Amino acid sequence: MIESYDIRLAAVSDARRIAEMSKNLIELGLGWSWTEERVIRNMRDKDTNVVVACDGAHLIGFGITKYRINEAHIVLFAVEKSRQRNGVGTALIKWIEKTALVAGIGIVYLEARLRNSAAREFYRALGYKEFLVEPRRYRGVETGVRLGKDLWEDAVAS
Ligand SMILES: CC(C)(COP(=O)(O)OP(=O)(O)OC[C@H]1O[C@@H](n2cnc3c(N)ncnc32)[C@H](O)[C@@H]1OP(=O)(O)O)[C@@H](O)C(=O)NCCC(=O)NCCS
C-alpha cells in the first residue's frame, strides 16, 4: 500500500482524537490518563511538541515529545491500527529526531511495556537500544523497558 499523508504540528482540534488513540492503543488495561485536556496542556507547554500524521482530515498517527537541554523524551506515540506497518511510525520518529538534532539535542529516550513486543521491535529497527528494565513502571503493576538513541553518533557515522 502506498501511504499518502502529511506530517505537521498538532492543532487543538486534534486533541480528542489523540486522546482516544492513547486510550485504545497505548493505555489499554492501565486506565486512561491522557485525556483531551492533558493532550491540550502538553500542546501548550513550550518544552513539548505534538506532531501528527494526517491523511487529509484524518489523523493516523502522532507523537508527543518533551525537550530538555540535552535530551528529548517521547512520552506518547501511536499509529492507527489499519495504517500500521506502512512506514508512518518511522516517518514520525524521523521528524522527531530531526527536530531534536536541529535544536542541538542528541539523545532521545522513551519507554515501552516489556510485553509490547511490536513497539520494542519497531524501536530496535530504528536504532534504539534497551538499557533498563523497570518493574512496576506502569501504574505500579506492569514492567517497562527504557530505550535510548544517540542521534549524534548516528549523524557522525553517516
Ligand atoms: C509501534 C508502532 C508505533 C509502529 O508504527 P508503524 O507505523 O506500524 O511502524 P513502521 O511501519 O514504521 O515499522 C517500521 C519497522 O518497525 C518494525 N515493526 C513495526 N511494527 C512491528 C510489529 N508489529 N512487529 C514486529 N516488527 C514491527 C518492523 O521492522 C518495521 O519494518 P517492516 O514493516 O518493513 O518490517 C505501532 O505498532 C503502534 O502504534 N502500536 C500501538 C501503540 C504503541 O505501542 N505505541 C508505542 C508505545 S511505546
Side-chain angles (χ1 to χ4, degrees):
M1 177 181 174
I2 297 174
E3 280 289 353
S4 157
Y5 55 87
D6 296 315
I7 293 186
R8 59 164 172 80
L9 284 173
V12 166
S13 55
D14 297 318
R16 177 176 300 207
R17 166 86 174 134
I18 292 170
E20 289 292 332
M21 283 176 74
S22 180
K23 180 166 72 178
N24 299 324
L25 292 170
I26 301 172
E27 299 186 273
L28 222 56
L30 290 174
W32 187 27
S33 73
W34 282 89
T35 59
E36 183 177 357
E37 292 69 31
R38 185 175 179 193
V39 173
I40 292 171
R41 266 202 312 280
N42 274 265
M43 286 177 181
R44 291 182 172 146
D45 174 15
K46 66 180 172 46
D47 295 322
T48 304
N49 71 30
V50 184
V51 61
V52 291
C54 292
D55 181 354
H58 185 57
L59 194 159
I60 59 172
F62 72 90
I64 300 182
T65 309
K66 294 185 174 293
Y67 297 87
R68 306 281 177 243
I69 291 173
N70 294 314
E71 63 188 56
H73 184 192
I74 301 173
V75 293
L76 214 62
F77 192 90
V79 172
E80 177 180 294
K81 242 191 179 74
S82 66
R83 308 296 287 262
Q84 291 176 5
R85 294 310 283 268
N86 281 301
V88 178
T90 300
L92 283 166
I93 291 286
K94 294 288 172 206
W95 187 98
I96 290 167
E97 291 179 350
K98 188 170 177 192
T99 302
L101 270 177
V102 169
I105 295 169
I107 306 285
V108 181
Y109 289 113
L110 55 97
E111 291 90 27
R113 296 194 209 190
L114 184 70
R115 66 187 169 106
N116 189 350
S117 50
R120 290 173 65 195
E121 190 50 42
F122 167 70
Y123 291 119
R124 194 203 56 75
L126 288 169
Y128 286 77
K129 295 194 172 72
E130 298 186 353
F131 62 90
L132 185 67
V133 173
E134 295 181 285
R136 296 177 296 284
R137 166 70 179 75
Y138 294 100
R139 314 285 195 277
V141 293
E142 188 160 343
T143 303
V145 181
R146 290 208 87 195
L147 302 98
K149 181 172 175 181
D150 183 338
L151 304 178
W152 285 316
E153 208 173 73
D154 265 32
V156 170
S158 61

